[in-house]
Amino acid sequence: MFAIVRTGGKQYRVAAGDKIVVDKIDGEAGSSIELGDVLLAGDGSELRSTDGLTVAAEIIAQAKGEKVIVFKKRRRHNYRRRNGHRQRHTILRIVGIGGHGGGEQRSADTAEPAQA
């Protein structure tokens, strides 16, 4: 099962067990969060309703991206400015995609049905 979620103004296609890098989300490493802005969900080629659907994720780490150098110059005016920026990121592991409150929950741990 897959879902398309929106966080930080960007959209990500996720499935159970995936790792994604998103813009900074508050939380400590190891804590669980829910991404509630699900735009599309489906299993193979058939689509599901996204009413009340959430994506459960676990924060792996808080990190910084690579440094971007911003250099401004105006010719013949002795004007030079050099500035750097490192974007903060959060690395997430998708635990499962499921309904909120008793809906179907599929995760990486439940790939095979339990034997009774």
Side-chain angles (χ1 to χ4, degrees):
M1 176 170 211
F2 73 93
I4 296 178
V5 296
R6 178 172 42 206
T7 179
K10 300 177 185 79
Q11 298 174 8
Y12 302 91
R13 183 186 191 275
V14 297
D18 287 351
K19 291 182 183 177
I20 59 172
V21 178
V22 299
D23 286 342
K24 176 115 170 72
I25 297 174
D26 291 334
E28 298 292 323
S31 63
S32 297
I33 62 168
E34 284 191 356
L35 304 173
D37 197 2
V38 179
L39 304 174
L40 183 79
D43 197 4
S45 62
E46 78 180 52
L47 299 178
R48 282 185 52 181
S49 172
T50 60
D51 296 334
L53 198 64
T54 59
V55 174
E58 176 187 0
I59 297 177
I60 296 175
Q62 302 284 4
K64 286 185 178 180
E66 293 193 16
K67 181 172 265 193
V68 176
I69 302 297
V70 179
F71 185 75
K72 299 178 181 180
K73 180 180 178 179
R74 293 189 183 148
R75 295 189 321 166
R76 297 183 297 272
H77 289 281
N78 195 24
Y79 175 84
R80 288 183 291 276
R81 300 291 180 262
R82 182 178 180 272
N83 198 356
H85 175 74
R86 290 185 74 183
Q87 184 68 35
R88 295 178 186 266
H89 296 299
T90 300
I91 303 170
L92 298 176
R93 178 184 299 119
I94 305 301
V95 175
I97 301 169
H100 186 69
E104 179 184 339
Q105 180 83 12
R106 298 208 32 193
S107 66
D109 300 333
T110 59
E112 299 179 32
Q115 298 294 328

